[in-house]
Tab-separated table of all heavy atoms in Angstrom:
chain	number	residue	atom	x	y	z
A	872	TYR	N	94.845	92.422	100.124
A	872	TYR	CA	95.520	92.144	98.843
A	872	TYR	C	96.856	92.853	98.895
A	872	TYR	O	96.928	94.068	99.076
A	872	TYR	CB	94.691	92.598	97.684
A	872	TYR	CG	95.428	92.467	96.343
A	872	TYR	CD1	95.620	91.218	95.794
A	872	TYR	CD2	95.931	93.570	95.689
A	872	TYR	CE1	96.298	91.032	94.584
A	872	TYR	CE2	96.595	93.419	94.474
A	872	TYR	CZ	96.787	92.144	93.934
A	872	TYR	OH	97.472	92.002	92.762
A	873	PHE	N	97.953	92.078	98.746
A	873	PHE	CA	99.294	92.670	98.922
A	873	PHE	C	100.128	92.355	97.712
A	873	PHE	O	100.460	91.177	97.464
A	873	PHE	CB	99.936	92.109	100.181
A	873	PHE	CG	99.139	92.301	101.417
A	873	PHE	CD1	98.420	91.246	101.982
A	873	PHE	CD2	99.063	93.536	102.061
A	873	PHE	CE1	97.671	91.438	103.137
A	873	PHE	CE2	98.316	93.728	103.175
A	873	PHE	CZ	97.599	92.679	103.727
A	874	GLU	N	100.480	93.405	96.979
A	874	GLU	CA	101.335	93.184	95.806
A	874	GLU	C	102.658	93.909	95.998
A	874	GLU	O	103.014	94.346	97.079
A	874	GLU	CB	100.604	93.646	94.545
A	874	GLU	CG	101.079	92.862	93.309
A	874	GLU	CD	100.351	93.276	92.036
A	874	GLU	OE1	99.321	93.959	92.085
A	874	GLU	OE2	100.828	92.866	90.953
A	875	ILE	N	103.414	94.041	94.882
A	875	ILE	CA	104.748	94.615	94.929
A	875	ILE	C	104.729	95.962	95.667
A	875	ILE	O	103.892	96.810	95.437
A	875	ILE	CB	105.299	94.836	93.487
A	875	ILE	CG1	105.516	93.436	92.835
A	875	ILE	CG2	106.596	95.612	93.517
A	875	ILE	CD1	105.833	93.520	91.384
A	876	GLY	N	105.691	96.128	96.575
A	876	GLY	CA	105.778	97.306	97.387
A	876	GLY	C	105.178	97.120	98.738
A	876	GLY	O	105.587	97.756	99.684
A	877	GLN	N	104.190	96.220	98.847
A	877	GLN	CA	103.553	95.918	100.121
A	877	GLN	C	103.682	94.442	100.454
A	877	GLN	O	103.511	94.062	101.627
A	877	GLN	CB	102.060	96.219	100.071
A	877	GLN	CG	101.689	97.611	99.631
A	877	GLN	CD	100.173	97.723	99.440
A	877	GLN	OE1	99.408	97.258	100.276
A	877	GLN	NE2	99.785	98.333	98.387
A	878	MET	N	103.983	93.638	99.469
A	878	MET	CA	103.874	92.197	99.618
A	878	MET	C	105.052	91.559	100.340
A	878	MET	O	106.024	92.231	100.729
A	878	MET	CB	103.693	91.552	98.256
A	878	MET	CG	104.793	91.869	97.241
A	878	MET	SD	106.314	90.878	97.426
A	878	MET	CE	105.762	89.300	96.858
A	879	GLY	N	104.905	90.303	100.497
A	879	GLY	CA	105.973	89.469	101.076
A	879	GLY	C	105.633	88.030	100.741
A	879	GLY	O	104.619	87.757	100.079
A	880	ILE	N	106.429	87.123	101.170
A	880	ILE	CA	106.076	85.709	101.011
A	880	ILE	C	104.913	85.411	101.941
A	880	ILE	O	104.980	85.745	103.140
A	880	ILE	CB	107.289	84.830	101.338
A	880	ILE	CG1	108.478	85.182	100.404
A	880	ILE	CG2	106.918	83.345	101.198
A	880	ILE	CD1	109.760	84.460	100.707
A	881	GLU	N	103.834	84.898	101.426
A	881	GLU	CA	102.535	84.886	102.061
A	881	GLU	C	102.584	84.383	103.526
A	881	GLU	O	101.954	84.959	104.416
A	881	GLU	CB	101.556	84.046	101.268
A	881	GLU	CG	102.041	82.633	100.987
A	881	GLU	CD	101.216	81.933	99.861
A	881	GLU	OE1	99.986	82.072	99.851
A	881	GLU	OE2	101.856	81.268	99.028
A	882	HIS	N	103.313	83.340	103.771
A	882	HIS	CA	103.284	82.718	105.140
A	882	HIS	C	104.125	83.460	106.150
A	882	HIS	O	103.999	83.248	107.350
A	882	HIS	CB	103.702	81.257	105.030
A	882	HIS	CG	102.891	80.482	104.042
A	882	HIS	ND1	101.538	80.518	104.006
A	882	HIS	CD2	103.267	79.688	103.004
A	882	HIS	CE1	101.101	79.755	103.023
A	882	HIS	NE2	102.134	79.258	102.367
A	883	ALA	N	104.955	84.367	105.682
A	883	ALA	CA	105.598	85.276	106.627
A	883	ALA	C	104.801	86.579	106.743
A	883	ALA	O	104.787	87.215	107.839
A	883	ALA	CB	107.034	85.647	106.109
A	884	LEU	N	104.095	86.957	105.691
A	884	LEU	CA	103.351	88.211	105.686
A	884	LEU	C	102.120	88.210	106.563
A	884	LEU	O	101.867	89.182	107.305
A	884	LEU	CB	102.943	88.586	104.241
A	884	LEU	CG	102.326	89.934	104.024
A	884	LEU	CD1	103.356	91.032	104.335
A	884	LEU	CD2	101.818	90.060	102.564
A	885	LEU	N	101.306	87.175	106.497
A	885	LEU	CA	100.050	87.172	107.248
A	885	LEU	C	100.244	87.250	108.742
A	885	LEU	O	99.535	88.056	109.391
A	885	LEU	CB	99.223	85.905	106.902
A	885	LEU	CG	98.129	86.153	105.806
A	885	LEU	CD1	98.811	86.563	104.462
A	885	LEU	CD2	97.270	84.922	105.600
A	886	PRO	N	101.144	86.523	109.366
A	886	PRO	CA	101.369	86.733	110.829
A	886	PRO	C	101.911	88.143	111.104
A	886	PRO	O	101.496	88.749	112.106
A	886	PRO	CB	102.406	85.670	111.150
A	886	PRO	CG	102.284	84.626	110.137
A	886	PRO	CD	101.902	85.362	108.884
A	887	GLU	N	102.791	88.640	110.256
A	887	GLU	CA	103.347	89.960	110.448
A	887	GLU	C	102.262	91.035	110.418
A	887	GLU	O	102.319	92.037	111.169
A	887	GLU	CB	104.380	90.214	109.367
A	887	GLU	CG	105.073	91.567	109.424
A	887	GLU	CD	106.038	91.755	108.241
A	887	GLU	OE1	107.153	91.210	108.353
A	887	GLU	OE2	105.663	92.411	107.255
A	888	LYS	N	101.266	90.842	109.528
A	888	LYS	CA	100.158	91.764	109.428
A	888	LYS	C	99.093	91.592	110.498
A	888	LYS	O	98.143	92.324	110.554
A	888	LYS	CB	99.507	91.635	108.042
A	888	LYS	CG	100.414	92.035	106.867
A	888	LYS	CD	100.591	93.528	106.764
A	888	LYS	CE	101.310	93.921	105.480
A	888	LYS	NZ	101.534	95.374	105.373
A	889	GLY	N	99.259	90.546	111.322
A	889	GLY	CA	98.298	90.313	112.362
A	889	GLY	C	96.967	89.700	111.878
A	889	GLY	O	95.954	89.842	112.561
A	890	LEU	N	97.012	89.061	110.719
A	890	LEU	CA	95.789	88.527	110.114
A	890	LEU	C	95.444	87.164	110.612
A	890	LEU	O	94.311	86.686	110.352
A	890	LEU	CB	95.937	88.496	108.573
A	890	LEU	CG	96.137	89.883	107.929
A	890	LEU	CD1	96.415	89.737	106.432
A	890	LEU	CD2	94.922	90.785	108.162
A	891	VAL	N	96.321	86.537	111.329
A	891	VAL	CA	96.058	85.205	111.920
A	891	VAL	C	96.418	85.266	113.409
A	891	VAL	O	97.486	85.789	113.777
A	891	VAL	CB	96.853	84.095	111.240
A	891	VAL	CG1	96.575	82.750	111.881
A	891	VAL	CG2	96.539	84.028	109.758
A	892	VAL	N	95.552	84.719	114.286
A	892	VAL	CA	95.811	84.684	115.700
A	892	VAL	C	95.450	83.314	116.264
A	892	VAL	O	94.897	82.500	115.540
A	892	VAL	CB	95.001	85.799	116.441
A	892	VAL	CG1	95.471	87.184	116.023
A	892	VAL	CG2	93.501	85.619	116.239
A	893	ALA	N	95.744	83.104	117.500
A	893	ALA	CA	95.468	81.814	118.168
A	893	ALA	C	93.972	81.508	118.111
A	893	ALA	O	93.130	82.416	118.267
A	893	ALA	CB	95.909	81.875	119.622
A	894	GLY	N	93.653	80.272	117.801
A	894	GLY	CA	92.281	79.816	117.783
A	894	GLY	C	91.626	79.934	116.426
A	894	GLY	O	90.490	79.480	116.253
A	895	ASP	N	92.268	80.561	115.446
A	895	ASP	CA	91.706	80.731	114.113
A	895	ASP	C	91.679	79.395	113.333
A	895	ASP	O	92.469	78.479	113.623
A	895	ASP	CB	92.491	81.729	113.293
A	895	ASP	CG	92.129	83.159	113.583
A	895	ASP	OD1	91.164	83.388	114.329
A	895	ASP	OD2	92.772	84.076	113.019
A	896	VAL	N	90.803	79.303	112.376
A	896	VAL	CA	90.850	78.271	111.360
A	896	VAL	C	91.209	78.989	110.023
A	896	VAL	O	90.504	79.875	109.588
A	896	VAL	CB	89.518	77.535	111.170
A	896	VAL	CG1	89.507	76.690	109.918
A	896	VAL	CG2	89.270	76.636	112.396
A	897	VAL	N	92.307	78.565	109.443
A	897	VAL	CA	92.829	79.181	108.217
A	897	VAL	C	93.059	78.102	107.171
A	897	VAL	O	93.667	77.062	107.458
A	897	VAL	CB	94.152	79.914	108.513
A	897	VAL	CG1	94.656	80.617	107.206
A	897	VAL	CG2	94.038	80.913	109.641
A	898	ILE	N	92.544	78.337	105.965
A	898	ILE	CA	92.869	77.486	104.850
A	898	ILE	C	93.549	78.293	103.783
A	898	ILE	O	93.248	79.490	103.621
A	898	ILE	CB	91.645	76.719	104.289
A	898	ILE	CG1	90.610	77.749	103.724
A	898	ILE	CG2	91.009	75.837	105.330
A	898	ILE	CD1	89.538	77.034	102.894
A	899	GLY	N	94.428	77.705	103.012
A	899	GLY	CA	95.088	78.405	101.977
A	899	GLY	C	95.430	77.442	100.817
A	899	GLY	O	95.750	76.296	101.024
A	900	ALA	N	95.305	77.992	99.620
A	900	ALA	CA	95.610	77.175	98.451
A	900	ALA	C	97.118	77.201	98.245
A	900	ALA	O	97.659	77.674	97.240
A	900	ALA	CB	94.886	77.692	97.213
A	901	ASP	N	97.819	76.683	99.219
A	901	ASP	CA	99.273	76.512	99.224
A	901	ASP	C	99.586	75.582	100.349
A	901	ASP	O	99.112	75.746	101.491
A	901	ASP	CB	99.991	77.861	99.428
A	901	ASP	CG	101.514	77.699	99.311
A	901	ASP	OD1	102.168	77.358	100.345
A	901	ASP	OD2	102.032	77.889	98.208
């Protein structure tokens, strides 16, 4: 959970945080 001070625009933030890698299945309400 990333809010002000830690957050970013979600689709730039998740790769930067290493939360998505090759071979994953990811769904998002966006």
